[in-house]
Amino acid sequence: MSYKLQVYTGDRPGAGTDANIKILFYDDCGTKTPEFKLDTFFRNDFERGGMDEFTVKLPSELQFGCVKKIEFWRDSVGLGSSWYLDRISVIDEARTYVYEFPVFRWIRTDHHYVIEHLDTSLPQFDEQKEQRQMELEEKRELYKLKVKVPGLPIQVDQIPSDENFSTEYRWDMKKLKYKLALDTLIVRVKSGKWTDLESLKNIYVTHHLPKPEATETWREDSHFGDQRVSGVNPVMIKLCTHIPEKFGVTEEMVKPFLEGLTLNEAIQQNRLFIVDLKINEDVPCQNDSFVLCSPIALFFETSCKQLMPIAIQLFQSKLEPGNPVFLPSDPPMTWLLAKMWYNNADSAVHQALTHLGLTHLIMEGIAAITHRNLSPTHPIFKLLAPHFLYLIAINTLGLQALINEGGWVDSVQGIGIKGTFFLIAKGVKTWRMDVEGTIPEELRQRGVRTDGSSSFFSEDFKNCWTTRSSRIIRTAMMLCCCTMPSTLMLRA
Ligand SMILES: [Fe+2]
Protein backbone atom coordinates (compact mmCIF):
# COMPACT_ATOMS: atom_id res chain seq x y z
CA MET A 1 0.00 0.00 0.00
CA SER A 2 1.26 3.50 -0.77
CA TYR A 3 0.14 7.07 -0.27
CA LYS A 4 0.81 10.11 -2.36
CA LEU A 5 1.48 13.16 -0.21
CA GLN A 6 1.05 16.75 -1.26
CA VAL A 7 2.71 19.16 1.14
CA TYR A 8 1.78 22.85 0.83
CA THR A 9 4.23 25.34 2.35
CA GLY A 10 2.77 28.74 3.23
CA ASP A 11 3.31 31.91 1.25
CA ARG A 12 4.75 34.26 3.84
CA PRO A 13 8.22 35.55 4.65
CA GLY A 14 10.42 32.79 6.07
CA ALA A 15 7.84 30.06 5.40
CA GLY A 16 10.17 27.80 3.41
CA THR A 17 12.58 25.43 5.15
CA ASP A 18 15.77 23.47 4.53
CA ALA A 19 15.18 21.33 7.62
CA ASN A 20 14.58 17.58 7.47
CA ILE A 21 10.94 16.67 7.71
CA LYS A 22 9.67 13.33 8.95
CA ILE A 23 6.15 11.99 9.07
CA LEU A 24 4.19 8.92 10.14
CA PHE A 25 0.55 7.90 10.03
CA TYR A 26 -2.03 6.44 12.40
CA ASP A 27 -5.12 4.58 11.32
CA ASP A 28 -8.50 4.50 13.08
CA CYS A 29 -7.44 1.47 15.18
CA GLY A 30 -4.35 3.27 16.47
CA THR A 31 -1.92 1.33 14.22
CA LYS A 32 1.15 3.37 13.50
CA THR A 33 3.33 3.28 10.38
CA PRO A 34 7.12 3.58 10.44
CA GLU A 35 8.42 7.13 10.01
CA PHE A 36 9.20 8.46 6.55
CA LYS A 37 11.66 11.19 5.62
CA LEU A 38 10.17 13.59 3.09
CA ASP A 39 12.89 14.37 0.63
CA THR A 40 13.21 14.43 -3.13
CA PHE A 41 16.66 13.72 -4.46
CA PHE A 42 18.25 16.79 -6.05
CA ARG A 43 15.31 19.02 -5.38
CA ASN A 44 14.97 21.96 -3.01
CA ASP A 45 11.76 20.95 -1.22
CA PHE A 46 9.47 23.02 0.99
CA GLU A 47 10.06 26.36 -0.67
CA ARG A 48 7.83 29.26 0.26
CA GLY A 49 4.44 29.02 -1.47
CA GLY A 50 5.35 25.67 -3.05
CA MET A 51 3.71 22.26 -3.20
CA ASP A 52 5.87 19.15 -2.95
CA GLU A 53 4.76 15.65 -3.81
CA PHE A 54 6.06 12.48 -2.22
CA THR A 55 5.12 8.83 -2.36
CA VAL A 56 5.43 6.74 0.78
CA LYS A 57 5.24 2.93 0.67
CA LEU A 58 3.86 1.14 3.70
CA PRO A 59 5.46 -2.19 4.69
CA SER A 60 3.57 -5.02 2.97
CA GLU A 61 3.01 -6.87 6.26
CA LEU A 62 1.36 -3.86 7.92
CA GLN A 63 -2.41 -4.07 8.33
CA PHE A 64 -3.37 -0.44 7.99
CA GLY A 65 -6.89 1.00 7.78
CA CYS A 66 -8.02 4.54 7.01
CA VAL A 67 -5.65 7.40 7.87
CA LYS A 68 -6.94 9.06 11.01
CA LYS A 69 -4.05 11.29 11.98
CA ILE A 70 -0.52 12.24 11.00
CA GLU A 71 2.48 13.01 13.16
CA PHE A 72 5.30 15.10 11.75
CA TRP A 73 8.30 17.02 12.98
CA ARG A 74 11.36 18.83 11.72
CA ASP A 75 14.95 19.33 12.85
CA SER A 76 16.92 22.58 12.73
CA VAL A 77 19.21 21.72 9.84
CA GLY A 78 19.93 24.46 7.30
CA LEU A 79 20.16 28.20 7.42
CA GLY A 80 16.46 28.79 7.07
CA SER A 81 14.94 25.98 9.11
CA SER A 82 11.71 27.69 10.24
CA TRP A 83 8.69 26.33 8.40
CA TYR A 84 5.11 27.52 7.96
CA LEU A 85 3.02 24.61 6.82
CA ASP A 86 -0.36 25.28 5.23
CA ARG A 87 -1.61 21.70 4.78
CA ILE A 88 -0.87 18.14 3.85
CA SER A 89 -3.10 16.09 1.57
CA VAL A 90 -2.73 12.33 1.83
CA ILE A 91 -4.03 10.65 -1.30
CA ASP A 92 -5.00 7.01 -1.00
CA GLU A 93 -5.04 6.07 -4.67
CA ALA A 94 -6.21 2.50 -4.04
CA ARG A 95 -9.29 3.70 -2.20
CA THR A 96 -9.54 6.86 -4.30
CA TYR A 97 -9.80 8.96 -1.17
CA VAL A 98 -8.04 12.15 -0.07
CA TYR A 99 -7.39 12.83 3.61
CA GLU A 100 -6.92 16.52 4.32
CA PHE A 101 -4.77 17.77 7.18
CA PRO A 102 -5.10 21.56 7.45
CA VAL A 103 -2.18 22.76 9.57
CA PHE A 104 -1.73 26.52 9.04
CA ARG A 105 0.92 26.76 11.75
CA TRP A 106 4.59 27.58 12.21
CA ILE A 107 6.32 24.29 12.91
CA ARG A 108 8.71 24.41 15.86
CA THR A 109 11.95 22.45 15.90
CA ASP A 110 11.68 18.93 17.28
CA HIS A 111 8.07 19.21 18.42
CA HIS A 112 5.99 16.31 17.20
CA TYR A 113 2.78 17.73 15.76
CA VAL A 114 -0.19 15.41 15.70
CA ILE A 115 -2.97 16.55 13.41
CA GLU A 116 -6.21 14.68 12.83
CA HIS A 117 -8.01 14.39 9.52
CA LEU A 118 -9.68 17.82 9.00
CA ASP A 119 -8.23 19.00 12.35
CA THR A 120 -11.50 20.07 13.91
CA SER A 121 -12.50 19.37 17.47
CA LEU A 122 -13.79 20.99 20.62
CA PRO A 123 -11.23 21.14 23.44
CA GLN A 124 -12.98 18.54 25.57
CA PHE A 125 -12.66 15.97 22.78
CA ASP A 126 -9.13 16.83 21.69
CA GLU A 127 -6.53 14.14 22.30
CA GLN A 128 -3.73 16.68 21.83
CA LYS A 129 -4.53 18.89 24.82
CA GLU A 130 -0.90 19.81 25.50
CA GLN A 131 -0.27 20.81 21.92
CA ARG A 132 -3.42 22.92 22.04
CA GLN A 133 -2.33 24.66 25.23
CA MET A 134 1.19 25.26 23.93
CA GLU A 135 -0.15 26.88 20.76
CA LEU A 136 -2.51 29.14 22.68
CA GLU A 137 0.31 30.32 24.91
CA GLU A 138 2.37 31.17 21.82
CA LYS A 139 -0.57 33.05 20.34
CA ARG A 140 -1.09 35.08 23.53
CA GLU A 141 2.49 36.29 23.25
CA LEU A 142 1.95 37.27 19.61
CA TYR A 143 -1.49 38.88 19.95
CA LYS A 144 -1.01 41.30 22.83
CA LEU A 145 -3.92 43.67 23.29
CA LYS A 146 -3.80 47.44 23.56
CA VAL A 147 -6.18 50.40 23.52
CA LYS A 148 -4.29 52.62 21.07
CA VAL A 149 -6.69 55.57 21.11
CA PRO A 150 -8.65 56.19 24.33
CA GLY A 151 -12.28 55.18 23.91
CA LEU A 152 -11.69 53.18 20.74
CA PRO A 153 -12.04 49.38 20.57
CA ILE A 154 -9.13 47.26 21.70
CA GLN A 155 -6.52 46.40 19.05
CA VAL A 156 -3.33 44.37 18.77
CA ASP A 157 -0.28 46.08 20.23
CA GLN A 158 2.01 45.05 17.34
CA ILE A 159 0.87 43.37 14.15
CA PRO A 160 1.98 39.70 14.27
CA SER A 161 4.04 38.81 11.21
CA ASP A 162 1.47 36.17 10.22
CA GLU A 163 -1.12 38.90 9.79
CA ASN A 164 0.85 40.76 7.11
CA PHE A 165 -0.21 40.70 3.48
CA SER A 166 1.21 37.81 1.47
CA THR A 167 3.74 38.61 -1.25
CA GLU A 168 1.19 37.74 -3.91
CA TYR A 169 -1.36 40.06 -2.34
CA ARG A 170 1.18 42.89 -2.02
CA TRP A 171 2.15 42.42 -5.65
CA ASP A 172 -1.52 42.52 -6.71
CA MET A 173 -2.04 45.73 -4.73
CA LYS A 174 1.04 47.32 -6.33
CA LYS A 175 -0.16 46.37 -9.80
CA LEU A 176 -3.60 47.79 -9.05
CA LYS A 177 -2.10 50.98 -7.64
CA TYR A 178 -0.03 51.61 -10.78
CA LYS A 179 -2.97 50.75 -13.03
CA LEU A 180 -5.23 53.19 -11.16
CA ALA A 181 -2.58 55.91 -11.30
CA LEU A 182 -2.30 55.43 -15.05
CA ASP A 183 -6.09 55.33 -15.48
CA THR A 184 -6.42 58.54 -13.48
CA LEU A 185 -3.85 60.23 -15.66
CA ILE A 186 -5.68 59.15 -18.81
CA VAL A 187 -9.02 60.32 -17.34
CA ARG A 188 -7.50 63.71 -16.53
CA VAL A 189 -6.14 64.14 -20.02
CA LYS A 190 -9.21 62.85 -21.84
CA SER A 191 -12.05 64.25 -19.77
CA GLY A 192 -10.56 67.68 -19.14
CA LYS A 193 -10.95 69.79 -16.04
CA TRP A 194 -13.95 69.31 -13.78
CA THR A 195 -15.54 72.71 -13.76
CA ASP A 196 -18.99 71.68 -12.52
CA LEU A 197 -20.96 68.57 -11.60
CA GLU A 198 -22.02 68.03 -15.19
CA SER A 199 -18.40 67.72 -16.33
CA LEU A 200 -17.95 64.71 -14.05
CA LYS A 201 -20.07 62.73 -16.48
CA ASN A 202 -17.30 63.02 -19.09
CA ILE A 203 -15.47 60.24 -17.26
CA TYR A 204 -18.09 57.74 -18.31
CA VAL A 205 -18.27 58.98 -21.87
CA THR A 206 -14.51 59.03 -22.46
CA HIS A 207 -14.01 55.64 -20.83
CA HIS A 208 -17.07 53.95 -22.36
CA LEU A 209 -18.24 53.05 -18.90
CA PRO A 210 -21.91 52.59 -18.04
CA LYS A 211 -23.11 55.83 -16.54
CA PRO A 212 -24.43 55.25 -13.01
CA GLU A 213 -28.13 55.93 -12.67
CA ALA A 214 -27.40 58.31 -9.80
CA THR A 215 -25.74 60.82 -12.15
CA GLU A 216 -29.27 61.62 -13.38
CA THR A 217 -31.32 60.91 -10.26
CA TRP A 218 -29.23 62.27 -7.38
CA ARG A 219 -31.43 65.35 -6.98
CA GLU A 220 -34.65 63.35 -6.70
CA ASP A 221 -36.38 62.62 -3.42
CA SER A 222 -36.86 58.97 -4.34
CA HIS A 223 -33.06 58.65 -4.70
CA PHE A 224 -32.57 60.26 -1.30
CA GLY A 225 -35.10 57.80 0.16
CA ASP A 226 -33.36 54.85 -1.52
CA GLN A 227 -30.04 55.91 -0.01
CA ARG A 228 -31.48 55.28 3.47
CA VAL A 229 -31.99 51.59 2.77
CA SER A 230 -29.65 50.67 -0.07
CA GLY A 231 -26.90 53.24 0.35
CA VAL A 232 -23.72 52.78 2.32
CA ASN A 233 -25.26 53.36 5.74
CA PRO A 234 -28.59 51.53 5.92
CA VAL A 235 -28.40 50.94 9.67
CA MET A 236 -29.68 54.30 10.88
CA ILE A 237 -33.31 54.32 9.80
CA LYS A 238 -36.02 53.28 12.27
CA LEU A 239 -39.73 52.81 12.26
CA CYS A 240 -41.29 56.03 13.58
CA THR A 241 -43.71 55.33 16.42
CA HIS A 242 -44.06 58.95 17.56
CA ILE A 243 -42.72 62.37 16.63
CA PRO A 244 -39.98 63.29 19.12
CA GLU A 245 -40.56 66.44 21.16
CA LYS A 246 -37.34 68.00 19.79
CA PHE A 247 -38.53 67.63 16.17
CA GLY A 248 -40.48 70.69 15.03
CA VAL A 249 -42.42 68.94 12.28
CA THR A 250 -46.21 69.44 12.39
CA GLU A 251 -49.26 67.83 10.87
CA GLU A 252 -49.83 70.89 8.74
CA MET A 253 -46.30 70.81 7.27
CA VAL A 254 -46.37 67.24 6.01
CA LYS A 255 -50.04 66.95 5.12
CA PRO A 256 -49.42 67.33 1.35
CA PHE A 257 -47.00 64.37 1.31
CA LEU A 258 -48.99 61.74 3.24
CA GLU A 259 -51.42 60.64 0.52
CA GLY A 260 -54.38 61.86 2.54
CA LEU A 261 -53.33 60.25 5.83
CA THR A 262 -52.77 62.07 9.09
CA LEU A 263 -49.41 61.68 10.83
CA ASN A 264 -51.07 59.37 13.34
CA GLU A 265 -52.62 57.22 10.63
CA ALA A 266 -49.25 56.94 8.85
CA ILE A 267 -47.69 55.85 12.16
CA GLN A 268 -50.48 53.33 12.78
CA GLN A 269 -49.94 51.83 9.31
CA ASN A 270 -46.15 51.54 9.90
CA ARG A 271 -45.47 53.85 6.97
CA LEU A 272 -43.48 56.51 8.77
CA PHE A 273 -39.73 56.16 9.33
CA ILE A 274 -37.21 58.38 11.04
CA VAL A 275 -33.46 58.92 11.21
CA ASP A 276 -32.06 60.80 14.18
CA LEU A 277 -28.34 61.57 13.95
CA LYS A 278 -28.15 62.91 17.50
CA ILE A 279 -24.78 61.19 17.83
CA ASN A 280 -23.25 63.99 15.73
CA GLU A 281 -23.88 66.58 18.46
CA ASP A 282 -20.66 68.09 19.85
CA VAL A 283 -18.46 66.24 17.35
CA PRO A 284 -15.43 68.48 16.71
CA CYS A 285 -14.71 69.46 13.12
CA GLN A 286 -11.38 69.69 11.38
CA ASN A 287 -11.43 73.46 11.86
CA ASP A 288 -13.73 76.06 13.41
CA SER A 289 -15.23 77.22 10.13
CA PHE A 290 -16.67 73.75 9.42
CA VAL A 291 -20.10 72.62 10.62
CA LEU A 292 -21.45 69.15 11.14
CA CYS A 293 -25.22 68.82 11.42
CA SER A 294 -27.03 66.44 13.75
CA PRO A 295 -30.21 66.12 11.68
CA ILE A 296 -33.56 64.44 12.18
CA ALA A 297 -35.34 63.34 9.02
CA LEU A 298 -38.79 61.89 8.45
CA PHE A 299 -39.67 59.48 5.65
CA PHE A 300 -42.98 58.23 4.31
CA GLU A 301 -43.58 54.94 2.52
CA THR A 302 -45.85 55.75 -0.43
CA SER A 303 -48.50 53.40 -1.76
CA CYS A 304 -45.99 52.57 -4.57
CA LYS A 305 -43.58 51.27 -1.88
CA GLN A 306 -41.23 54.20 -2.38
CA LEU A 307 -39.54 55.77 0.61
CA MET A 308 -39.77 59.56 0.35
CA PRO A 309 -38.29 62.24 2.61
CA ILE A 310 -41.01 64.55 3.94
CA ALA A 311 -39.20 66.70 6.52
CA ILE A 312 -35.62 67.46 7.58
CA GLN A 313 -34.50 69.41 10.64
CA LEU A 314 -30.74 69.90 10.52
CA PHE A 315 -30.06 70.33 14.24
CA GLN A 316 -31.47 68.73 17.34
CA SER A 317 -33.20 71.52 19.22
CA LYS A 318 -36.37 72.86 17.64
CA LEU A 319 -36.22 75.88 19.93
CA GLU A 320 -32.97 77.15 18.44
CA PRO A 321 -33.38 80.11 16.11
CA GLY A 322 -32.30 79.37 12.55
CA ASN A 323 -33.19 75.69 12.82
CA PRO A 324 -36.28 75.34 10.64
CA VAL A 325 -37.91 72.19 9.37
CA PHE A 326 -37.16 71.87 5.68
CA LEU A 327 -39.86 70.40 3.42
CA PRO A 328 -40.08 69.07 -0.16
CA SER A 329 -42.33 72.08 -0.89
CA ASP A 330 -39.51 74.53 -0.12
CA PRO A 331 -37.74 76.22 -3.05
CA PRO A 332 -35.92 73.41 -4.94
CA MET A 333 -32.41 74.64 -4.12
CA THR A 334 -33.25 75.07 -0.42
CA TRP A 335 -34.63 71.55 -0.18
CA LEU A 336 -31.70 70.14 -2.18
CA LEU A 337 -29.22 71.84 0.14
CA ALA A 338 -31.05 70.50 3.20
CA LYS A 339 -30.69 66.97 1.78
CA MET A 340 -27.00 67.57 1.02
CA TRP A 341 -26.29 68.79 4.55
CA TYR A 342 -28.13 65.74 5.83
CA ASN A 343 -26.02 63.44 3.63
CA ASN A 344 -22.84 65.15 4.78
CA ALA A 345 -23.85 64.39 8.37
CA ASP A 346 -24.74 60.81 7.47
CA SER A 347 -21.41 60.30 5.67
CA ALA A 348 -19.54 61.33 8.84
CA VAL A 349 -21.44 58.71 10.86
CA HIS A 350 -20.94 56.13 8.16
CA GLN A 351 -17.20 56.59 7.65
CA ALA A 352 -16.25 57.11 11.27
CA LEU A 353 -18.61 54.79 13.07
CA THR A 354 -20.45 52.28 10.89
CA HIS A 355 -17.41 51.64 8.70
CA LEU A 356 -14.21 52.31 10.65
CA GLY A 357 -15.31 51.91 14.26
CA LEU A 358 -17.95 49.23 14.17
CA THR A 359 -16.57 47.20 11.26
CA HIS A 360 -12.78 47.48 10.99
CA LEU A 361 -11.76 48.29 14.54
CA ILE A 362 -14.27 46.27 16.50
CA MET A 363 -13.42 43.23 14.38
CA GLU A 364 -9.70 43.65 15.07
CA GLY A 365 -10.31 43.12 18.77
CA ILE A 366 -12.50 40.13 18.03
CA ALA A 367 -9.85 38.66 15.69
CA ALA A 368 -7.12 39.10 18.30
CA ILE A 369 -9.23 37.65 21.11
CA THR A 370 -10.17 34.70 18.92
CA HIS A 371 -6.49 33.96 18.28
CA ARG A 372 -5.70 34.27 21.98
CA ASN A 373 -8.52 32.00 23.14
CA LEU A 374 -9.47 29.58 20.40
CA SER A 375 -7.10 26.98 19.03
CA PRO A 376 -6.86 26.69 15.22
CA THR A 377 -8.44 23.27 15.77
CA HIS A 378 -11.60 24.80 17.25
CA PRO A 379 -14.58 24.68 14.84
CA ILE A 380 -15.52 28.29 15.62
CA PHE A 381 -11.96 29.39 14.83
CA LYS A 382 -12.20 27.64 11.48
CA LEU A 383 -15.45 29.42 10.66
CA LEU A 384 -14.10 32.83 11.65
CA ALA A 385 -10.51 32.65 10.39
CA PRO A 386 -11.24 33.29 6.68
CA HIS A 387 -13.10 36.47 7.65
CA PHE A 388 -10.04 37.74 9.55
CA LEU A 389 -7.74 37.47 6.54
CA TYR A 390 -5.71 40.72 6.26
CA LEU A 391 -8.09 42.53 8.60
CA ILE A 392 -5.34 43.54 11.02
CA ALA A 393 -3.00 44.33 8.10
CA ILE A 394 -5.60 46.63 6.52
CA ASN A 395 -6.32 48.34 9.83
CA THR A 396 -2.62 48.86 10.49
CA LEU A 397 -2.06 50.27 7.02
CA GLY A 398 -5.20 52.43 7.27
CA LEU A 399 -4.24 53.90 10.63
CA GLN A 400 -0.70 54.63 9.39
CA ALA A 401 -1.53 56.01 5.97
CA LEU A 402 -5.12 57.31 6.04
CA ILE A 403 -6.31 58.02 9.56
CA ASN A 404 -3.21 59.74 10.85
CA GLU A 405 -2.72 63.38 11.71
CA GLY A 406 -2.64 65.40 8.47
CA GLY A 407 -3.45 62.24 6.49
CA TRP A 408 -6.25 61.56 4.05
CA VAL A 409 -9.14 61.52 6.54
CA ASP A 410 -7.83 64.58 8.32
CA SER A 411 -7.60 66.61 5.15
CA VAL A 412 -10.64 65.35 3.21
CA GLN A 413 -13.31 64.78 5.84
CA GLY A 414 -14.88 67.75 7.55
CA ILE A 415 -14.56 66.16 10.98
CA GLY A 416 -10.90 65.17 10.55
CA ILE A 417 -9.39 62.45 12.74
CA LYS A 418 -10.30 64.27 15.97
CA GLY A 419 -14.00 64.14 15.10
CA THR A 420 -13.66 60.62 13.66
CA PHE A 421 -12.19 59.25 16.90
CA PHE A 422 -14.71 61.25 18.96
CA LEU A 423 -17.61 59.71 17.02
CA ILE A 424 -16.22 56.20 17.32
CA ALA A 425 -15.68 56.54 21.07
CA LYS A 426 -19.24 57.82 21.46
CA GLY A 427 -20.73 55.03 19.36
CA VAL A 428 -18.70 52.24 20.92
CA LYS A 429 -19.89 53.25 24.39
CA THR A 430 -23.47 52.22 23.62
CA TRP A 431 -22.75 49.42 21.14
CA ARG A 432 -23.91 46.00 22.35
CA MET A 433 -23.06 42.56 21.04
CA ASP A 434 -26.56 41.30 21.76
CA VAL A 435 -28.26 44.22 20.00
CA GLU A 436 -26.20 45.92 17.28
CA GLY A 437 -24.02 42.81 16.94
CA THR A 438 -26.94 40.48 16.38
CA ILE A 439 -28.80 41.13 13.15
CA PRO A 440 -32.33 39.93 14.06
CA GLU A 441 -32.25 41.87 17.30
CA GLU A 442 -30.76 44.94 15.64
CA LEU A 443 -33.57 44.92 13.04
CA ARG A 444 -36.18 44.34 15.73
CA GLN A 445 -34.93 47.27 17.79
CA ARG A 446 -35.23 49.55 14.78
CA GLY A 447 -38.69 48.21 14.01
CA VAL A 448 -37.66 47.02 10.56
CA ARG A 449 -37.68 43.25 10.98
CA THR A 450 -38.94 41.53 7.90
CA ASP A 451 -41.31 39.21 9.70
CA GLY A 452 -43.47 41.71 11.45
CA SER A 453 -43.79 45.39 11.87
CA SER A 454 -43.08 46.65 8.37
CA SER A 455 -43.53 45.09 4.98
CA PHE A 456 -41.56 47.85 3.26
CA PHE A 457 -38.08 46.72 4.18
CA SER A 458 -38.33 43.07 3.30
CA GLU A 459 -37.07 43.19 -0.29
CA ASP A 460 -34.99 46.31 0.12
CA PHE A 461 -33.09 44.95 3.03
CA LYS A 462 -32.55 41.66 1.27
CA ASN A 463 -31.09 43.56 -1.68
CA CYS A 464 -28.84 45.76 0.35
CA TRP A 465 -27.58 42.79 2.36
CA THR A 466 -26.49 40.94 -0.69
CA THR A 467 -25.02 43.82 -2.62
CA ARG A 468 -23.89 47.15 -1.35
CA SER A 469 -23.64 46.58 2.36
CA SER A 470 -22.14 43.14 2.32
CA ARG A 471 -19.22 44.18 4.54
CA ILE A 472 -21.48 45.48 7.29
CA ILE A 473 -23.69 42.46 7.13
CA ARG A 474 -20.77 40.06 7.01
CA THR A 475 -19.30 41.76 10.03
CA ALA A 476 -22.54 41.55 11.90
CA MET A 477 -22.84 37.87 11.03
CA MET A 478 -19.36 37.28 12.36
CA LEU A 479 -20.28 39.13 15.50
CA CYS A 480 -23.26 36.83 15.91
CA CYS A 481 -20.91 33.88 15.66
CA CYS A 482 -18.55 35.50 18.12
CA THR A 483 -21.14 35.50 20.86
CA MET A 484 -20.67 31.74 21.05
CA PRO A 485 -17.09 31.57 22.34
CA SER A 486 -18.20 33.48 25.41
CA THR A 487 -19.41 30.28 26.97
CA LEU A 488 -16.77 28.40 28.92
CA MET A 489 -17.54 25.16 27.16
CA LEU A 490 -16.27 26.50 23.87
CA ARG A 491 -13.28 28.30 25.30
CA ALA A 492 -9.85 27.18 24.03
FE1 LIG B 1 -13.18 49.27 4.74
mmCIF file of all heavy atoms in Angstrom, residues 355 360 394 471, ligand 1:
data_model
loop_
_atom_site.group_PDB
_atom_site.id
_atom_site.type_symbol
_atom_site.label_atom_id
_atom_site.label_comp_id
_atom_site.label_asym_id
_atom_site.label_seq_id
_atom_site.Cartn_x
_atom_site.Cartn_y
_atom_site.Cartn_z
ATOM 1 N N HIS A 355 -18.465 52.287 9.472
ATOM 2 C CA HIS A 355 -17.410 51.638 8.701
ATOM 3 C C HIS A 355 -16.148 51.401 9.534
ATOM 4 O O HIS A 355 -15.805 50.261 9.846
ATOM 5 C CB HIS A 355 -17.116 52.505 7.462
ATOM 6 C CG HIS A 355 -16.069 51.936 6.559
ATOM 7 N ND1 HIS A 355 -15.476 52.659 5.556
ATOM 8 C CD2 HIS A 355 -15.503 50.717 6.504
ATOM 9 C CE1 HIS A 355 -14.595 51.904 4.926
ATOM 10 N NE2 HIS A 355 -14.577 50.727 5.485
ATOM 11 N N HIS A 360 -14.219 47.783 10.960
ATOM 12 C CA HIS A 360 -12.776 47.482 10.991
ATOM 13 C C HIS A 360 -12.258 47.292 12.408
ATOM 14 O O HIS A 360 -11.653 46.277 12.725
ATOM 15 C CB HIS A 360 -12.001 48.629 10.340
ATOM 16 C CG HIS A 360 -12.023 48.582 8.849
ATOM 17 N ND1 HIS A 360 -11.068 47.949 8.119
ATOM 18 C CD2 HIS A 360 -12.900 49.091 7.955
ATOM 19 C CE1 HIS A 360 -11.334 48.077 6.823
ATOM 20 N NE2 HIS A 360 -12.447 48.768 6.704
ATOM 21 N N ILE A 394 -4.902 45.476 7.115
ATOM 22 C CA ILE A 394 -5.596 46.631 6.515
ATOM 23 C C ILE A 394 -5.768 47.731 7.565
ATOM 24 O O ILE A 394 -5.541 48.908 7.291
ATOM 25 C CB ILE A 394 -6.952 46.197 5.916
ATOM 26 C CG1 ILE A 394 -6.724 45.446 4.608
ATOM 27 C CG2 ILE A 394 -7.871 47.390 5.667
ATOM 28 C CD1 ILE A 394 -7.908 44.706 4.072
ATOM 29 N N ARG A 471 -20.239 44.158 3.497
ATOM 30 C CA ARG A 471 -19.223 44.180 4.545
ATOM 31 C C ARG A 471 -19.851 44.335 5.933
ATOM 32 O O ARG A 471 -19.499 43.640 6.872
ATOM 33 C CB ARG A 471 -18.229 45.330 4.317
ATOM 34 C CG ARG A 471 -17.199 45.418 5.418
ATOM 35 C CD ARG A 471 -16.277 46.588 5.180
ATOM 36 N NE ARG A 471 -15.317 46.293 4.151
ATOM 37 C CZ ARG A 471 -14.172 45.650 4.387
ATOM 38 N NH1 ARG A 471 -13.884 45.247 5.577
ATOM 39 N NH2 ARG A 471 -13.331 45.425 3.415
HETATM 40 FE FE FE B 1 -13.177 49.272 4.739
#
